Amino acid sequence: MIGAAGSTDRGRNGFPAPSFAHLRRLTDAGGLFEHARHTTPRREHGYCVDDVARGLVVLHREPAGAPDLREHYLTFVLAAQGGDGRFRNRRAADLRWHGPLSVDDCWGRALWGLGAAAADPRALTAFDRGAQWRSPSPRAMAFAALGAAEVLAVRPEHRGARDLLGATAAAIGRPSPHPVWPWPEPRLAYANAVLPEALLAAGVALGAPALVADGLALLGWLLDLQTRDGHLSVVPVGGRGPGEHGPGFDQQPIEAAALADACARAHAVTGEDRWRRGVALAVGWFLGDNDTGVALHAPGGGCCDGLRPDGRNENQGAESTLALVSALQRARALPVGPSLQATAPSVSGTG
């Protein structure tokens, strides 16, 4: 087990250690339940590939932790794939799959999870089947591209992964020349930082400095846009367009986690301290350094589902909990330095 339930023990960078305790609470023989009422799984809502694939990603960052969950989640993702390589997203508590095969976000996140597990031949074979497809959604492509980057870490000459990264860069496009709104979409939506992170991954893998530069420029703009009075103020659930100003609510954990992922990758590429500070801001958002001063990090290893103007959503579902685990992993993996230690807020565990 990684971290004790409810523990606020601090790691070397001054942040709590990630815990899988609440993930275990949300997991049964069928998979990882999507929703919870407070900490109790809502069986009636079933499971989804989106969350289980996210779980596969974070679990494969912990070589010594929870091997049973890694195998369980991989089996779930493999079962969701159709013979043509696409995926169904939803599985009911009675273990029946629902909905059509698609190349929506579940396809992209499944490829991300399979890429993280690519040292396993079963995962690599399933990735190969899925990577032949292309999605009309830039975000789905970006999730898949992060899986492709994971595959290349194991198989540097993998042609399918390289092709997918190139196609993703084309799908995302170049930053807009407009100085006020360089974002390549008319509005910010969800998991926004995954787009510049995918450009960074593609640029490094394909030896394309222009893609790296585009990714860093977009990430820097996004980080600045979401920094308010020295803390992170993420795009709300309804998104944000030109001329709209924060803070906005409800704020979702997936936004802070995506920013932590992207800033960690940017730091790995450049070594610049700005990106370490970005990770610290993202983790601080979970711990109460946010627009309302309320921590979303909950006792028992869970994470509350959203930040409201008057507090937080007390439900602790899979997406939010995995977002917290992922962000804490990113902070722990960075080199120790004053910019991280100085910004780690105190943790009450209750908000």
Side-chain angles (χ1 to χ4, degrees):
M1 184 65 64
I2 299 171
S7 172
T8 56
D9 292 342
R10 289 175 175 266
R12 64 193 184 92
N13 279 321
F15 294 108
S19 168
F20 291 161
H22 188 53
L23 285 185
R24 288 191 178 278
R25 189 179 297 118
L26 293 176
T27 301
D28 74 353
L32 172 63
F33 285 108
E34 181 178 9
H35 295 134
R37 180 177 286 111
H38 292 193
T39 60
T40 302
R42 300 194 66 175
R43 294 181 55 84
E44 68 272 21
H45 293 170
Y47 324 94
C48 68
V49 168
D50 283 328
D51 290 334
V52 179
R54 291 184 184 106
L56 200 52
V57 171
V58 302
L59 287 164
H60 274 271
R61 296 175 186 165
E62 306 283 351
D68 56 326
L69 291 184
R70 287 202 308 273
E71 176 64 24
H72 189 28
Y73 292 176
L74 175 58
T75 300
F76 184 102
V77 173
L78 293 174
Q81 189 175 38
D84 66 357
R86 295 179 296 168
F87 289 84
R88 286 187 175 87
N89 192 32
R90 307 212 63 83
R91 191 184 202 184
D94 64 7
L95 305 188
R96 289 187 294 181
W97 292 95
H98 296 274
L101 295 166
S102 80
V103 289
D104 296 334
D105 280 3
C106 67
W107 165 83
R109 289 195 174 104
L111 292 190
W112 188 2
L114 293 169
D120 187 314
R122 297 169 298 166
L124 186 59
T125 297
F127 176 90
D128 288 344
R129 271 201 308 272
Q132 301 175 59
W133 288 87
R134 300 291 180 261
S135 174
S137 163
R139 269 172 188 70
M141 290 291 288
F143 296 135
L146 298 183
E150 297 277 4
V151 168
L152 290 175
V154 177
R155 300 284 185 91
E157 302 305 318
H158 193 284
R159 180 62 180 270
R162 290 182 174 275
D163 289 348
L164 183 53
L165 282 163
T168 298
I172 294 171
R174 301 294 309 278
S176 164
H178 196 291
V180 176
W181 194 261
W183 197 251
E185 300 174 310
R187 288 183 63 82
L188 292 165
Y190 61 94
N192 293 289
V194 73
L195 299 185
E197 186 183 4
L199 291 177
L200 288 172
V204 170
L206 303 177
L211 292 179
V212 172
D214 285 350
L216 292 173
L218 287 174
L219 181 58
W221 176 83
L222 184 64
L223 180 60
D224 289 345
L225 183 76
Q226 297 187 105
T227 302
R228 178 186 178 88
D229 298 330
H231 64 260
L232 198 65
S233 177
V234 300
V235 171
V237 68
R240 180 175 297 166
E244 299 176 15
H245 303 286
F249 299 95
D250 287 355
Q251 296 179 19
Q252 303 294 301
I254 189 176
E255 296 302 323
L259 195 65
D261 277 343
C263 286
R265 189 177 296 270
H267 182 266
V269 171
T270 69
E272 294 176 4
D273 198 56
R274 176 187 189 184
W275 308 118
R276 291 204 312 156
R277 292 195 297 272
V279 174
L281 285 171
V283 179
W285 181 89
F286 287 96
L287 304 181
D289 194 9
N290 53 47
D291 286 318
T292 62
V294 174
L296 283 83
H297 179 230
C303 178
C304 295
D305 280 350
L307 187 68
R308 295 171 169 169
D310 58 349
R312 66 190 190 184
N313 180 338
E314 295 291 342
N315 297 327
Q316 298 172 33
E319 178 184 291
S320 56
T321 297
L322 287 162
L324 169 68
V325 170
S326 177
L328 291 175
Q329 287 175 325
R330 292 308 194 189
R332 182 186 57 186
L334 288 175
V336 176
S339 66
L340 285 178
Q341 294 173 331
T343 55
S346 61
V347 182
S348 68
T350 64

